């Protein structure tokens, strides 16, 4: 059924905006609400979409065919309440993505960490081959400056499978990838067992004769299965798919990929970050299972430019390096900081971290303290609340006390760029999933002045 007008409640979200772009490409008029303006909403408006930024029923278009909303929109939102009474079809983002995915052989990448880079790299490998794909991505791919890829002929679709709000249970993949099941979103799942059980439910959705690619060591418990094939992957540990001979040359990783049918020698990964070897193995496994050739794989890995806000090197001179990363879970922080340490040994690493969500800060406070203590200097911003109300006693001050690094401080977001002006910096990281991204360009501008 063709849609003439689609309305998005929370259009500025990364997953929502990909769907908005999809329906726009299908010829629909796109309208939407978001709480805040951003670089992404600016791009959407330039693409012809109509967006407003205050709750306003009068701003709704006439004759809406479909309303798509994100669970981040509160239940007392004026427009949401009004639209529920109209009889217009209202669907969650995950439902719509699930509907679209049924038309394709879907590669769905799930897991607490690595989803965005792995799915984006898998999409790039397929895009750069004769196989091609559609893709709904959880970040802006640098190769395409978009979170949406369209194809007129491919039978494949790549998407990030988001565990938040159990969204990924709407998908029925041909290939499911599970990168990790470290506990997260305990405000929804309550405990680790429920979290892991939901991933088991997700694997139950894999189609007949499909594949499960799971990181070696990830345990989902006993599973009786005959309808799909299970492969394990790893970075440098023996598995069905794994990397060997890993070496860092001019900040690029070279490796040999071992796979069930042979070996592919001297592959070069186009992005830095030691943990990206693991992501590359998973993405390569997807590509090979879908028919990408060895030569196409080699070229795709080499030309992959990465994802904005994923180990994103913004400034690199002899005296100063600035990297921006989306890391917002203790394990992600640890991976980012240790990868930085490997690339820039014997240099002072300063990290600016904006905690994301009161519940996540509460649930993993000790782990955050341990990961942030890997930095030589820590600058903490106040907690970004997103959809949550404050929790008594859960603050950045509380988190600061758990960090054993001597050189640590709290800074208000509005004061940060000014605070950095007179600071001696060597390697600087900005870390977090809140609105710290709005500081990236101002920080980059400030640091570029030092090179003039």
């Amino acid at each position: 059924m063709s849609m003439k007008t689609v309305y998005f409640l929370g259009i500025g979200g990364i997953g929502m905006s990909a769907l908005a772009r999809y329906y726009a490409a299908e010829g629909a008029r796109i309208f939407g609400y978001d709480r805040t303006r951003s670089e992404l909403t600016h791009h959407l408006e330039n693409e012809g979409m109509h967006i407003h930024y205050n709750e306003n029923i009068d701003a709704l278009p006439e004759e809406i065919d479909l309303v798509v909303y994100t669970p981040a929109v509160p239940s007392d939102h004026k427009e949401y309440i009004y639209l529920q009474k109209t009889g217009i079809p209202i669907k969650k983002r995950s439902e719509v993505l699930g509907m679209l995915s049924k038309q394709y052989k879907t590669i769905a990448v799930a897991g607490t960490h690595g989803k965005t880079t792995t799915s984006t790299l898998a999409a790039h490998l397929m895009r750069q081959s004769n196989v091609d794909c559609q893709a709904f991505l959880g970040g802006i791919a640098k190769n395409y400056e978009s979170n949406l890829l369209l194809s007129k002929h491919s039978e494949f679709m790549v998407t990030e499978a988001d565990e938040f709000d159990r969204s990924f249970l709407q998908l029925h993949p041909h290939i499911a990838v599970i990168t990790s099941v470290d506990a997260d979103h305990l405000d929804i799942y309550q405990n680790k067992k429920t979290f892991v059980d939901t991933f088991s439910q997700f694997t139950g959705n894999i189609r007949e004769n499909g594949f499960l690619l799971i990181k070696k060591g990830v345990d989902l418990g006993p599973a009786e299965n005959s309808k799909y094939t299970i492969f394990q992957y790893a970075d440098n540990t023996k598995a069905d798919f794994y990397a060997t001979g890993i070496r860092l040359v001019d900040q690029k990783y070279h490796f040999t990929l071992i796979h069930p049918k042979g070996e592919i020698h001297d592959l070069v990964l186009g992005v830095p970050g030691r943990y990206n070897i693991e992501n590359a193995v998973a993405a390569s496994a997807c590509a090979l299972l879908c028919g990408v050739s060895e030569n196409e794989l080699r070229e795709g890995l080499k030309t992959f430019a990465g994802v904005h806000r994923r180990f994103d090197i913004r400034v690199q001179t002899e005296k100063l390096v600035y990297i921006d990363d989306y890391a917002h879970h203790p394990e992600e922080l640890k991976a980012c900081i240790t990868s930085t340490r490997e690339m820039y040994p014997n240099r002072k690493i300063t990290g600016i971290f904006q905690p994301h969500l009161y519940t996540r800060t509460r649930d993993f406070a000790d782990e955050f303290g341990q990961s942030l203590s890997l930095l030589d200097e820590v600058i903490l911003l106040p907690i970004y609340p997103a959809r949550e109300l404050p929790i008594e006693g859960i603050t950045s001050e509380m988190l600061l006390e758990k960090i054993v690094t001597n050189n640590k401080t709290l800074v208000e977001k509005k004061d940060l760029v000014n605070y950095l002006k007179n600071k001696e910096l060597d390697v600087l990281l900005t870390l977090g999933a809140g609105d710290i991204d709005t500081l990236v360009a101002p920080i980059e501008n400030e640091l570029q002045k030092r090179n003039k």
Side-chain angles (χ1 to χ4, degrees):
M1 176 182 151
S2 65
M3 300 286 174
K4 291 181 181 176
T5 304
V6 185
Y7 186 72
F8 288 84
L9 261 176
I11 195 168
I14 196 72
M16 291 283 280
S17 57
L19 285 174
R21 283 171 160 160
Y22 171 82
Y23 280 111
E26 291 286 298
R29 295 188 312 148
I30 305 299
F31 293 79
Y33 158 87
D34 207 89
R35 189 174 60 175
T36 50
R37 294 178 188 273
S38 65
E39 188 178 348
L40 185 47
T41 60
H42 175 70
H43 285 304
L44 297 179
E45 288 184 277
N46 284 347
E47 291 164 29
M49 301 183 200
H50 308 275
I51 304 174
H52 61 274
Y53 300 90
N54 57 332
E55 296 181 35
N56 183 3
I57 292 163
D58 293 333
L60 297 174
E62 294 179 7
E63 298 181 12
I64 301 170
D65 296 301
L66 174 67
V67 174
V68 185
Y69 74 99
T70 166
V73 169
S75 56
D76 62 354
H77 191 284
K78 290 175 189 172
E79 294 180 21
Y80 178 67
I81 292 169
Y82 171 80
L83 287 163
Q84 281 186 310
K85 297 172 183 173
T86 61
I88 299 166
I90 300 180
K91 295 189 179 294
K92 281 186 181 180
R93 178 191 67 84
S94 57
E95 290 179 85
V96 177
L97 189 63
M99 287 180 343
L100 295 176
S101 72
K102 286 175 184 173
Q103 303 168 35
Y104 302 99
K105 285 185 173 178
T106 296
I107 296 98
V109 182
T112 321
H113 326 295
K115 290 188 292 291
T116 302
T117 300
T118 303
S119 55
T120 305
L121 177 50
H124 176 68
L125 294 175
M126 295 172 75
R127 187 70 166 199
Q128 298 300 307
S129 75
N130 287 314
V131 176
D132 204 1
C133 67
Q134 345 283 320
F136 292 83
L137 304 172
I140 303 298
K142 288 188 172 184
N143 291 85
Y144 311 98
E145 285 303 324
S146 184
N147 52 351
L148 175 72
L149 301 181
L150 295 171
S151 168
K152 286 188 166 65
H153 67 269
S154 179
E155 63 178 338
F156 292 102
M157 172 176 145
V158 179
T159 186
E160 192 168 305
D162 188 4
E163 74 278 2
F164 173 68
D165 197 41
R166 296 178 170 82
S167 293
F168 61 171
L169 297 182
Q170 300 285 345
L171 299 169
H172 292 79
H174 170 62
I175 300 176
V177 181
I178 297 182
T179 65
S180 51
V181 289
D182 292 320
D184 199 6
H185 304 298
L186 295 184
D187 53 324
I188 292 165
Y189 290 99
Q190 276 74 59
N191 57 58
K192 172 87 184 266
K193 183 181 184 306
T194 310
F195 185 76
V196 174
D197 286 349
T198 310
F199 277 85
S200 293
Q201 278 180 266
F202 170 64
T203 63
N205 287 351
I206 297 171
R207 293 179 187 173
E208 195 86 33
N209 301 317
F211 302 92
L212 170 62
L213 274 165
I214 189 164
K215 182 187 167 185
K216 188 173 184 179
V218 170
D219 183 13
L220 297 181
E224 290 183 23
N225 158 64
S226 57
K227 70 172 184 172
Y228 58 81
T229 304
I230 301 173
F231 288 119
Q232 292 187 327
Y233 75 90
D235 57 355
N236 63 348
T237 308
K238 281 194 176 180
D240 298 304
F241 293 86
Y242 70 100
T244 186
I246 301 168
R247 61 196 192 282
L248 186 60
V249 181
D250 295 329
Q251 299 188 350
K252 295 283 175 71
Y253 284 99
H254 295 234
F255 64 98
T256 294
L257 178 68
I258 313 294
H259 61 95
K261 294 182 179 177
E263 303 179 1
I264 310 175
H265 293 271
D266 201 33
L267 296 169
V268 182
L269 182 57
V271 290
R274 176 66 175 76
Y275 55 87
N276 277 323
I277 295 287
E278 188 179 286
N279 296 333
V281 172
S284 298
C286 290
L288 292 171
L289 289 171
C290 292
V292 173
S293 73
E294 288 192 9
N295 284 339
E296 289 170 336
L297 179 76
R298 181 183 303 281
E299 188 62 21
L301 287 169
K302 187 177 176 182
T303 58
F304 182 55
V307 185
H308 285 287
R309 300 222 63 227
R310 303 310 192 275
F311 210 84
D312 194 354
I313 299 175
R314 309 290 302 211
V315 176
Q316 183 161 238
T317 67
E318 282 186 19
K319 293 182 177 179
L320 182 65
V321 176
Y322 171 36
I323 300 168
D324 177 46
D325 195 271
Y326 190 70
H328 57 284
H329 183 284
E331 288 299 316
E332 294 165 358
L333 291 170
K334 182 180 174 184
C336 180
I337 295 163
T338 53
S339 289
T340 305
R341 187 79 66 191
E342 182 181 22
M343 285 179 66
Y344 305 100
N346 306 315
R347 295 183 69 170
K348 179 189 173 187
I349 301 175
T350 300
I352 302 165
F353 178 56
Q354 182 190 47
H356 184 258
L357 299 179
Y358 293 104
T359 51
R360 186 183 281 125
T361 306
R362 175 197 65 197
D363 294 337
F364 303 106
D366 290 341
E367 293 87 345
F368 275 122
Q370 291 163 14
S371 294
L372 291 167
S373 296
L374 297 170
L375 292 161
D376 299 307
E377 180 177 13
V378 182
I379 300 168
L380 273 190
L381 301 180
I383 296 171
Y384 182 77
R387 57 192 177 268
E388 294 183 339
L389 294 171
I391 298 172
E392 189 176 346
I394 306 304
T395 62
S396 287
E397 285 84 352
M398 174 274 293
L399 193 55
L400 195 73
E401 291 177 10
K402 295 184 178 291
I403 298 167
V404 299
T405 306
N406 289 329
N407 204 347
K408 56 183 181 177
T409 190
L410 285 172
V411 176
E412 289 294 322
K413 181 174 163 247
K414 64 181 173 57
D415 300 327
L416 180 69
V417 176
N418 207 41
Y419 176 80
L420 295 177
K421 278 183 181 176
N422 302 314
K423 241 186 138 29
E424 278 193 30
L425 297 167
D426 187 2
V427 178
L428 178 67
L429 305 177
T430 42
L431 305 156
D435 63 358
I436 192 170
D437 62 321
T438 61
L439 294 172
V440 173
I443 291 171
E444 188 175 344
N445 291 339
E446 177 57 36
L447 298 181
Q448 295 286 15
K449 289 177 192 173
R450 301 186 181 196
N451 298 323
K452 290 180 180 176

